[in-house]
Amino acid sequence: MPRKGHIAKREVAPDPVYGSTLVTKFVNSMMWGGKKSTAQGIFYEAMKNLEEKGGGDDALKLFKKAVENCKPLLEVQDAAGGPAPTTRCRSRSSRRRTSLAIRWLITFGRNRGEKGMTEKLGNELLDAANGRGAAMKKKEDVHRMAEANKAFAHYRW
């Protein structure tokens, strides 16, 4: 924890194909072992598949809709509330919400049953854009847990 002041957040450069910083953040999160070109190839191939299956919609628009649909409004956090530890719900910043949505889309995309990461990722993005899929279920579970723990929301320290 730095004691000498606020550290500014770094902005990532937009990606070369779509010119979007959100795409760059997604590719950087998807990357394993520093293999960015491999992650970009998988992502762009998934976007091509997404555009074919998306019913005529633009792939970038479907991707942004998928990320937006998966963003949680509330999050559950562990807190020591007196004699017993409790969980409480908190609203989060837009940056945190976006990173959670990206993480969930990638994680649940990897766990799908299709063959090949491009197919898995494309189908998970399409499901999330349509309001279904495992990432959307995770968001709803988090919201349900937050609603159940709203009684402890006054523990803010």
Side-chain angles (χ1 to χ4, degrees), residues 65-123:
K65 187 176 177 186
V67 172
E68 196 63 39
N69 284 350
C70 289
K71 285 183 181 179
L73 297 173
L74 300 170
E75 189 180 18
V76 178
Q77 183 180 27
D78 290 335
T86 60
T87 54
R88 60 186 168 117
C89 69
R90 293 189 60 183
S91 59
R92 291 297 181 180
S93 68
S94 63
R95 222 182 189 128
R96 171 79 176 154
R97 293 171 54 208
T98 304
S99 67
L100 282 173
I102 288 171
R103 188 181 316 152
W104 292 342
L105 283 167
I106 292 169
T107 303
F108 292 115
R110 282 187 179 130
N111 294 336
R112 285 179 77 101
E114 288 95 4
K115 188 171 183 182
M117 184 58 188
T118 57
E119 195 73 28
K120 294 177 181 185
L121 186 63
N123 288 339

